[in-house]
Amino acid sequence: MLSSPGGPMERQRNTRLEALLTEFDFSHTSLAKEVNKVTGEIFGKAGDCTDRHVRRWISGEVRWPWTKYLLPLERIFDRPAQGLGFVPRGKHSANLPTPPQLRSPAPKEVEPVQRRRFIAASAATVVLALGIDQTPVRGRLSMSDIDRVHERIGRLDAHFFEIGGGPLAETATAYVGRLRDAQDSCTYGGRVEKALHGAISSLYASAGWAAHDGGEPARAALLHTASLQSALLAADPSATARAWSNLALQARMEGRHREAVQITKAALESRRARQDPRIAALLHARLAIGQARTADRSGAARSLLAAEKAYDRVDAAGPAPTWLGFLSPAELSGLAAITYEALGQYDRAEAATTQALRLLPPSMRRSHAYYSVQLAELQLTQRDRAQAAATVQALDASSLDSRRIAGRLAAVQRTLTT
């Protein structure tokens, strides 16, 4: 029988919330647990949400949950209730109260709303959001399990490119621990064994970058060394080239520029670097920086040209691995700018940095902030304080979590105020 016009509203599935569960890798049960955890943070008392609540929200049976559920959901997904696909019962119900701990007598003390839940998240929360705790630690592992591991590693890397290190070093090392448990407790064949070592190498490399971004150079060095060890156990040429590249960068950051040049040259001799133009382009660009800092001007120029030539062959190389997702014409321009700066060619460095910023896609917010700070530093070096101030003013770093970038930005701001 058809319902009358005044009858109950037809149930409509909340596809928006359903898509968010997929995006953040939540099951009904894990989201309910997260809601209860955040409820405790907001109200001082753990919630009573269950997987049944989540099912009713998604099915459309409940179109506007109680406030005690909506406030945690808004914080978890960092968007308003209606942005989660919920429909208010009336015009007044849409006006949710301010969560207790966010009320403040001095508005200036309230922290700005984070654009991404990842930014303020603890490592444990990030582990839950990515579904890292779902990686099996018993039974038999297959290549499908490894594919899912790499998918999660790719998501970790994507978050780094977007917001910086944040909790990712802890998250990646926690995931390493999970995979170590799988190595010890699961059964698998030789192919899966090597793939596991390769995944662990990737995680160590990601953790090393996050530690470097978080201002922990000693920890970063240990993680990059561990990445190389696992890459060798995996017999993975790409992972090995990545590890050597990161170790060369680590040496450069510690002021050991000749060692950095030697490591990079050795990496360029590998079969993988000869076969993969992306890796070759990255290594040549980083080699140019090392050569510039060891006063090898002609070598630096040759390496920059070699990086351009290698990148010209990228289109025929197929899709890039996720860890090389940052490598683009914009990144090569930025690396060239660092080379020019080391050579004392500040005008060329400024022009190359400006080009990098122009070419960067909006999603690469960390890179945009990094090269914006670099541009302001170059402008100050050339005594263009007004332009440096304008560059800093245009930079929005509020949604980033990178101590390294924040420290450099603070130094620029101090210089501008003295």
Side-chain angles (χ1 to χ4, degrees):
M1 178 183 296
L2 294 175
S3 61
S4 65
M9 185 180 296
E10 183 181 353
R11 182 183 301 183
Q12 185 172 355
R13 191 172 185 83
N14 189 340
T15 55
R16 188 173 301 178
L17 180 62
E18 191 171 29
L20 284 169
L21 262 70
T22 301
E23 177 184 346
F24 286 86
D25 213 7
F26 277 124
S27 65
H28 294 172
T29 301
S30 63
L31 178 60
K33 289 180 180 178
E34 186 71 2
V35 167
N36 291 334
K37 174 179 174 294
V38 176
T39 298
E41 295 172 357
I42 294 177
F43 299 104
K45 181 180 179 181
D48 58 359
C49 183
T50 67
D51 59 334
R52 181 171 177 268
H53 289 92
V54 179
R55 287 196 299 273
R56 294 178 72 197
W57 300 337
I58 291 176
S59 70
E61 181 180 348
V62 175
R63 305 192 71 188
W64 188 256
W66 294 108
T67 299
K68 66 178 181 178
Y69 301 127
L70 283 177
L71 289 177
L73 285 167
E74 286 189 336
R75 181 178 296 188
I76 290 169
F77 294 108
D78 193 19
R79 63 198 70 197
Q82 293 180 65
L84 300 173
F86 294 120
V87 180
R89 289 185 290 270
K91 63 180 181 179
H92 297 298
S93 68
N95 299 320
L96 296 181
T98 302
Q101 83 281 19
L102 294 183
R103 298 192 184 106
S104 172
K108 65 181 181 181
E109 295 177 1
V110 180
E111 294 184 2
V113 177
Q114 301 292 356
R115 292 179 64 187
R116 289 282 181 179
R117 168 174 173 253
F118 233 80
I119 298 171
S122 67
T125 303
V126 177
V127 166
L128 181 64
L130 288 180
I132 287 172
D133 58 331
Q134 298 172 20
T135 299
V137 291
R138 60 181 59 87
R140 184 167 182 83
L141 293 180
S142 68
M143 287 304 297
S144 295
D145 294 310
I146 301 300
D147 290 341
R148 283 188 285 272
V149 168
H150 280 292
E151 185 271 335
R152 292 184 172 106
I153 294 173
R155 291 170 63 190
L156 273 173
D157 290 340
H159 280 293
F160 175 83
F161 299 148
E162 186 173 4
I163 66 169
L168 300 187
E170 297 295 340
T171 305
T173 50
Y175 203 5
V176 167
R178 182 83 179 185
L179 295 185
R180 294 288 193 201
D181 289 342
Q183 279 185 320
D184 291 338
S185 305
C186 295
T187 59
Y188 42 80
R191 183 181 173 210
V192 170
E193 181 179 24
K194 287 188 175 182
L196 264 176
H197 284 300
I200 290 171
S201 176
S202 292
L203 283 167
Y204 274 134
S206 298
W209 263 101
H212 170 69
D213 207 47
E216 300 179 89
R219 185 183 184 194
L222 292 173
L223 291 166
H224 289 318
T225 301
S227 175
L228 176 61
Q229 177 180 323
S230 293
L232 294 173
L233 289 172
D236 185 336
S238 180
T240 303
R242 180 186 185 184
W244 279 121
S245 175
N246 289 339
L247 285 169
L249 178 65
Q250 187 70 35
R252 192 182 88 210
M253 294 299 176
E254 295 174 3
R256 296 179 282 112
H257 299 300
R258 293 192 182 279
E259 180 181 337
V261 168
Q262 293 167 351
I263 294 174
T264 308
K265 285 183 174 179
L268 279 165
E269 291 297 318
S270 69
R271 177 169 57 89
R272 187 62 180 178
R274 293 194 299 270
Q275 292 176 343
D276 191 325
R278 289 187 183 87
I279 293 177
L282 177 63
L283 290 172
H284 279 299
R286 288 182 175 173
L287 177 60
I289 298 173
Q291 289 168 323
R293 291 183 175 171
T294 54
D296 183 1
R297 302 176 72 88
S298 59
R302 288 194 301 271
S303 293
L304 285 180
L305 180 60
E308 292 179 9
K309 289 182 176 179
Y311 196 80
D312 285 343
R313 297 184 283 123
V314 161
D315 288 343
T322 55
W323 71 270
L324 272 174
F326 70 96
L327 189 65
S328 65
E331 181 69 16
L332 290 179
S333 292
L335 294 175
I338 299 173
T339 301
Y340 295 140
E341 181 183 14
L343 293 171
Q345 300 173 4
Y346 301 117
D347 55 341
R348 295 185 71 183
E350 182 177 352
T353 304
T354 301
Q355 178 174 317
L357 288 168
R358 187 173 65 252
L359 295 174
L360 278 170
S363 60
M364 303 291 285
R365 291 190 292 117
R366 179 195 173 277
S367 294
H368 195 279
Y370 180 91
Y371 286 122
S372 292
V373 174
Q374 179 171 294
L375 179 60
E377 291 170 339
L378 288 165
Q379 289 163 340
L380 283 177
T381 299
Q382 298 175 91
R383 303 183 184 278
D384 192 348
R385 294 174 64 89
Q387 193 60 54
T391 299
V392 169
Q393 187 175 7
L395 171 60
D396 178 16
S398 62
S399 58
L400 294 179
D401 194 351
S402 169
R403 291 182 188 175
R404 183 170 169 234
I405 296 174
R408 290 175 61 179
L409 177 59
V412 169
Q413 291 170 327
R414 285 194 300 270
T415 302
L416 287 171
T417 56
T418 56

